[in-house]
Amino acid sequence: MNHLLKQAFDPDEFRREGHQLVDLLASYLEDCRDNKPMHVLPPSDPDAMVGFWTKDLNNPGFNLQHFYDTLIRQANHIHHPHYMGHQVVPPAPLAALTELTEALLNNGMAIYEMGPSATAIERVVLRWLAARIGMTGQPDGILTSGGSVGNLTALLAARQVKCGYNIWDEGVRSETPLAIMVSAEAHYSIARAARIMGMGEKGLVKVPVNSRMQLDPLLLDEMLTRATGQGLKVIALVGNACSTSTGTFDPLEEMADFADKHSLWFHVDGAHGGAAAMTEKYRHLTSGIERADSVVIDFHKMMLTPALTTAVLFRNGSHSFETFAQKAAYLLEGNGQKPWFDGAGRTLECTKKMMGVKIYAMIRLYGEQLFKEYITTTFDLGHRLAEMLQQKKGFELAVQPDGNIVCFRYRPVHFMGNMNLLTATVRKKMLEDARYYVVQTSVNGHIYLRVTLMNPFSTDEHLNSMLLLVKTLAESVADTIDDKR
Ligand SMILES: Cc1ncc(COP(=O)(O)O)c(C=O)c1O
């Protein structure tokens, strides 16, 4: 047999490299845990990065462990308590280890016989989650690769159920243009889903938000009447739990009432904060989520799981079959009607990763208490940061946070210049400094720094030193901002 093929599948080499890799990763985790100084976002320019790897590709000789080491050094250090950037969770290490097993076993999961245990585990995990967020009856669902695909999957089901004809087979009828009502602060994947479904820009009825950036329920009636008057058939209402930009939760209970009253499909985009429904302390934020027709929750956001792993839950489990009422003869037929276990009938994906396995392992290892503790700890941290910001002179909160997403800015004493320019400059300087990773967002046209406290080991001390850096940078550049707008 070909020597290279033998080598690529050599169990001994796998064992040797694997042991070394686990040692390397464990040391890396120790460095992060011990708050070792590092550039949490290693400074890099895209062209230089491509140049580096182009040169590397042409270098003779390759050492796998050295490669892993380089990757670690070039990575965003999500496990470091100074990482406060995007909504990407530091995965629980044993979840990552379980994912290695998923990758090696590589059961495809399009149909049951391609991944029997992973398919059954996925269902158990989904029903477990549905029960944790308070869904009763016969909920069901599917795991997908990310919240964006999840939102599309749920809204496709909404369209099929609510449009009044078999749109999957007949296609879009131009005489009844469809629309969905969403918060003006909805994640862009919702707008994208509407466009993918052929609704266009007019098919997205944006309901304005109140001063806390929550969908304003008092405007729902007016917006629906206006949309209907324009000839649109509104099929669904979408709530945020929570919004991406400021992390505020929409009034889901009132939205569920409205959806009920007008026979709309109620979808909750809980990609980031839906899992708060599991906690005693923050459950009130998600009140009403259990009444949604469909809910999306990202395990890779607030549930300690490597990306991408998203739950799409349907309160009425049979709706899980509405999305892709499509036949692929060689895969799906001959199995009787709508078998739950052939996942390809219910998701955009054909071959799919065994994504439920790592979640199952975590549930068995740590129980649901792990997720509750993680969500409560990081949400508490967001609230403490808000308190600090209110106590420190010069800091301004954009919105009182509901959870672990906090937006703020710093105004130096006597500064009369352009705050947007100042804040964007501070953020740029923070990227160059690279000891903390924070991002920026726009709230009502004003630029704010935005942190998402994803690391449960970030402490008040880390928050204080991050704020000190923001203040120092703002004061050091304030004189250079002479734009008065
Ligand atoms: C509210 C919300 N919905 C959907 C998404 C998209 O999720 P994903 O990145 O898993 O596709 C995000 C991502 O930030 C989000 O915050």
Side-chain angles (χ1 to χ4, degrees), residues 374-390:
Y374 171 68
I375 296 162
T376 306
T377 303
T378 51
F379 274 33
D380 283 353
L381 208 53
H383 288 239
R384 280 216 302 289
L385 175 57
E387 279 166 28
M388 287 177 192
L389 289 163
Q390 279 158 335

Side-chain angles (χ1 to χ4, degrees), residues 116-138:
S117 62
T119 302
I121 285 174
E122 173 168 321
R123 191 169 221 212
V124 169
V125 163
L126 285 161
R127 289 180 158 182
W128 174 89
L129 183 65
R132 297 296 163 302
I133 69 163
M135 278 184 168
T136 51
Q138 301 271 311

Side-chain angles (χ1 to χ4, degrees), residues 47 51 66 105 143 145 176 196 199 216 233 262 272 279 289 295 341 357 359 406 411 437 441:
D47 291 334
H66 181 256
L105 297 178
L143 292 176
S145 297
T176 39
I196 291 170
M199 296 178 184
D216 187 343
K233 179 178 170 64
H262 295 280
H272 183 85
T279 69
I289 199 170
V295 175
F341 43 84
V357 173
I359 303 164
V406 186
R411 185 188 295 274
Y437 185 32
T441 190

Side-chain angles (χ1 to χ4, degrees), residues 347-366:
T347 170
L348 197 66
E349 285 140 298
C350 176
T351 306
K352 196 174 81 163
K353 290 184 68 156
M354 304 164 71
M355 40 181 107
V357 173
K358 53 190 168 284
I359 303 164
Y360 185 85
M362 279 201 289
I363 296 170
R364 297 292 285 126
L365 268 170
Y366 310 112

